[in-house]
Amino acid sequence: MCTDVTIFCPDCRGRFVVESSDIVEGEVLECSLCGAEIEVVQEEPVKIQLLVEE
Ligand SMILES: [Zn+2]
């Protein structure tokens, strides 16, 4: 079963939706609004952070 999860982009503060199957710890999501890369740091509850490239 697939459910949609709303992600709040920490960069542009917009909202975009991904499938729950995309919420995997360590997975990098891309904001559909600003293209920022956002890392999933925790699955339940969902925690994300802006991916910072070193
Ligand atoms: Zn964004």
Side-chain angles (χ1 to χ4, degrees):
M1 193 176 93
C2 263
T3 54
D4 288 341
V5 178
T6 300
I7 301 293
F8 290 86
C9 177
D11 196 13
C12 69
R13 298 175 188 276
R15 287 183 297 180
F16 63 101
V17 174
V18 299
E19 291 184 353
S20 59
S21 59
D22 289 332
I23 303 296
V24 177
E25 195 174 318
E27 185 78 1
V28 175
L29 310 172
E30 189 178 303
C31 175
S32 61
L33 302 172
C34 71
E37 293 186 318
I38 298 163
E39 183 181 8
V40 178
V41 292
Q42 188 176 302
E43 294 175 30
E44 188 62 45
V46 177
K47 279 190 188 173
I48 49 103
Q49 68 177 11
L50 198 61
L51 186 68
V52 179
E53 290 180 27
E54 300 188 9

PDB file of all heavy atoms in Angstrom, residues 8-9 15-16 18 24 26 31 36 38-39 44 50:
ATOM      1  N   PHE A   8       7.892  19.133   4.099  1.00  0.00           N
ATOM      2  CA  PHE A   8       8.080  20.575   4.129  1.00  0.00           C
ATOM      3  C   PHE A   8       9.545  20.864   3.811  1.00  0.00           C
ATOM      4  O   PHE A   8      10.431  20.467   4.563  1.00  0.00           O
ATOM      5  CB  PHE A   8       7.716  21.147   5.508  1.00  0.00           C
ATOM      6  CG  PHE A   8       6.231  21.094   5.786  1.00  0.00           C
ATOM      7  CD1 PHE A   8       5.654  19.962   6.331  1.00  0.00           C
ATOM      8  CD2 PHE A   8       5.425  22.188   5.470  1.00  0.00           C
ATOM      9  CE1 PHE A   8       4.284  19.905   6.571  1.00  0.00           C
ATOM     10  CE2 PHE A   8       4.056  22.136   5.720  1.00  0.00           C
ATOM     11  CZ  PHE A   8       3.487  20.994   6.267  1.00  0.00           C
ATOM     12  N   CYS A   9       9.773  21.538   2.715  1.00  0.00           N
ATOM     13  CA  CYS A   9      11.145  21.823   2.305  1.00  0.00           C
ATOM     14  C   CYS A   9      11.777  22.845   3.246  1.00  0.00           C
ATOM     15  O   CYS A   9      11.240  23.934   3.420  1.00  0.00           O
ATOM     16  CB  CYS A   9      11.153  22.356   0.878  1.00  0.00           C
ATOM     17  SG  CYS A   9      12.796  22.823   0.316  1.00  0.00           S
ATOM     18  N   ARG A  15       5.854  22.986   0.162  1.00  0.00           N
ATOM     19  CA  ARG A  15       5.461  21.613   0.457  1.00  0.00           C
ATOM     20  C   ARG A  15       5.446  20.802  -0.826  1.00  0.00           C
ATOM     21  O   ARG A  15       5.023  21.287  -1.863  1.00  0.00           O
ATOM     22  CB  ARG A  15       4.059  21.577   1.062  1.00  0.00           C
ATOM     23  CG  ARG A  15       3.998  22.077   2.468  1.00  0.00           C
ATOM     24  CD  ARG A  15       2.602  21.938   2.995  1.00  0.00           C
ATOM     25  NE  ARG A  15       1.654  22.761   2.228  1.00  0.00           N
ATOM     26  CZ  ARG A  15       0.353  22.825   2.495  1.00  0.00           C
ATOM     27  NH1 ARG A  15      -0.146  22.120   3.484  1.00  0.00           N
ATOM     28  NH2 ARG A  15      -0.443  23.580   1.784  1.00  0.00           N
ATOM     29  N   PHE A  16       5.913  19.582  -0.733  1.00  0.00           N
ATOM     30  CA  PHE A  16       5.776  18.673  -1.854  1.00  0.00           C
ATOM     31  C   PHE A  16       5.472  17.290  -1.315  1.00  0.00           C
ATOM     32  O   PHE A  16       5.647  17.019  -0.131  1.00  0.00           O
ATOM     33  CB  PHE A  16       7.016  18.678  -2.762  1.00  0.00           C
ATOM     34  CG  PHE A  16       8.287  18.214  -2.093  1.00  0.00           C
ATOM     35  CD1 PHE A  16       8.751  16.919  -2.303  1.00  0.00           C
ATOM     36  CD2 PHE A  16       9.010  19.071  -1.288  1.00  0.00           C
ATOM     37  CE1 PHE A  16       9.933  16.478  -1.694  1.00  0.00           C
ATOM     38  CE2 PHE A  16      10.193  18.641  -0.683  1.00  0.00           C
ATOM     39  CZ  PHE A  16      10.652  17.352  -0.891  1.00  0.00           C
ATOM     40  N   VAL A  18       5.720  13.083  -1.503  1.00  0.00           N
ATOM     41  CA  VAL A  18       6.420  11.895  -1.986  1.00  0.00           C
ATOM     42  C   VAL A  18       5.639  10.668  -1.518  1.00  0.00           C
ATOM     43  O   VAL A  18       4.789  10.762  -0.637  1.00  0.00           O
ATOM     44  CB  VAL A  18       7.874  11.833  -1.458  1.00  0.00           C
ATOM     45  CG1 VAL A  18       8.669  13.034  -1.934  1.00  0.00           C
ATOM     46  CG2 VAL A  18       7.903  11.735   0.053  1.00  0.00           C
ATOM     47  N   VAL A  24      12.910   6.537   3.292  1.00  0.00           N
ATOM     48  CA  VAL A  24      13.841   5.542   3.801  1.00  0.00           C
ATOM     49  C   VAL A  24      15.015   6.294   4.416  1.00  0.00           C
ATOM     50  O   VAL A  24      15.543   7.234   3.808  1.00  0.00           O
ATOM     51  CB  VAL A  24      14.353   4.624   2.661  1.00  0.00           C
ATOM     52  CG1 VAL A  24      15.371   3.629   3.182  1.00  0.00           C
ATOM     53  CG2 VAL A  24      13.185   3.906   1.989  1.00  0.00           C
ATOM     54  N   GLY A  26      18.302   7.772   5.235  1.00  0.00           N
ATOM     55  CA  GLY A  26      19.489   7.927   4.410  1.00  0.00           C
ATOM     56  C   GLY A  26      19.185   8.246   2.956  1.00  0.00           C
ATOM     57  O   GLY A  26      20.076   8.587   2.188  1.00  0.00           O
ATOM     58  N   CYS A  31      13.434  18.317  -3.698  1.00  0.00           N
ATOM     59  CA  CYS A  31      12.276  19.196  -3.636  1.00  0.00           C
ATOM     60  C   CYS A  31      11.798  19.491  -5.050  1.00  0.00           C
ATOM     61  O   CYS A  31      12.581  19.916  -5.896  1.00  0.00           O
ATOM     62  CB  CYS A  31      12.649  20.489  -2.909  1.00  0.00           C
ATOM     63  SG  CYS A  31      11.304  21.702  -2.904  1.00  0.00           S
ATOM     64  N   ALA A  36      16.104  21.500  -4.137  1.00  0.00           N
ATOM     65  CA  ALA A  36      17.010  21.234  -3.030  1.00  0.00           C
ATOM     66  C   ALA A  36      17.053  19.741  -2.716  1.00  0.00           C
ATOM     67  O   ALA A  36      16.060  19.031  -2.876  1.00  0.00           O
ATOM     68  CB  ALA A  36      16.573  22.009  -1.791  1.00  0.00           C
ATOM     69  N   ILE A  38      17.213  16.878  -0.035  1.00  0.00           N
ATOM     70  CA  ILE A  38      16.766  16.759   1.350  1.00  0.00           C
ATOM     71  C   ILE A  38      16.934  15.320   1.797  1.00  0.00           C
ATOM     72  O   ILE A  38      16.427  14.395   1.157  1.00  0.00           O
ATOM     73  CB  ILE A  38      15.285  17.191   1.457  1.00  0.00           C
ATOM     74  CG1 ILE A  38      15.147  18.663   1.047  1.00  0.00           C
ATOM     75  CG2 ILE A  38      14.759  16.968   2.870  1.00  0.00           C
ATOM     76  CD1 ILE A  38      13.747  19.073   0.725  1.00  0.00           C
ATOM     77  N   GLU A  39      17.674  15.135   2.880  1.00  0.00           N
ATOM     78  CA  GLU A  39      17.971  13.793   3.355  1.00  0.00           C
ATOM     79  C   GLU A  39      16.967  13.358   4.409  1.00  0.00           C
ATOM     80  O   GLU A  39      16.606  14.131   5.297  1.00  0.00           O
ATOM     81  CB  GLU A  39      19.383  13.762   3.947  1.00  0.00           C
ATOM     82  CG  GLU A  39      19.793  12.375   4.410  1.00  0.00           C
ATOM     83  CD  GLU A  39      21.196  12.369   5.012  1.00  0.00           C
ATOM     84  OE1 GLU A  39      21.781  13.449   5.195  1.00  0.00           O
ATOM     85  OE2 GLU A  39      21.682  11.265   5.295  1.00  0.00           O
ATOM     86  N   GLU A  44      10.165   7.238  11.138  1.00  0.00           N
ATOM     87  CA  GLU A  44       8.919   7.317  11.907  1.00  0.00           C
ATOM     88  C   GLU A  44       9.189   7.838  13.306  1.00  0.00           C
ATOM     89  O   GLU A  44       9.756   7.114  14.124  1.00  0.00           O
ATOM     90  CB  GLU A  44       8.279   5.934  11.988  1.00  0.00           C
ATOM     91  CG  GLU A  44       6.897   5.936  12.598  1.00  0.00           C
ATOM     92  CD  GLU A  44       5.904   6.751  11.784  1.00  0.00           C
ATOM     93  OE1 GLU A  44       5.883   6.611  10.569  1.00  0.00           O
ATOM     94  OE2 GLU A  44       5.167   7.545  12.391  1.00  0.00           O
ATOM     95  N   LEU A  50      18.099  19.401   5.271  1.00  0.00           N
ATOM     96  CA  LEU A  50      18.699  19.820   4.023  1.00  0.00           C
ATOM     97  C   LEU A  50      20.064  19.152   3.885  1.00  0.00           C
ATOM     98  O   LEU A  50      20.870  19.160   4.821  1.00  0.00           O
ATOM     99  CB  LEU A  50      18.847  21.349   4.029  1.00  0.00           C
ATOM    100  CG  LEU A  50      19.053  22.050   2.686  1.00  0.00           C
ATOM    101  CD1 LEU A  50      17.865  21.795   1.763  1.00  0.00           C
ATOM    102  CD2 LEU A  50      19.222  23.537   2.918  1.00  0.00           C
TER     103      LEU A  50
END
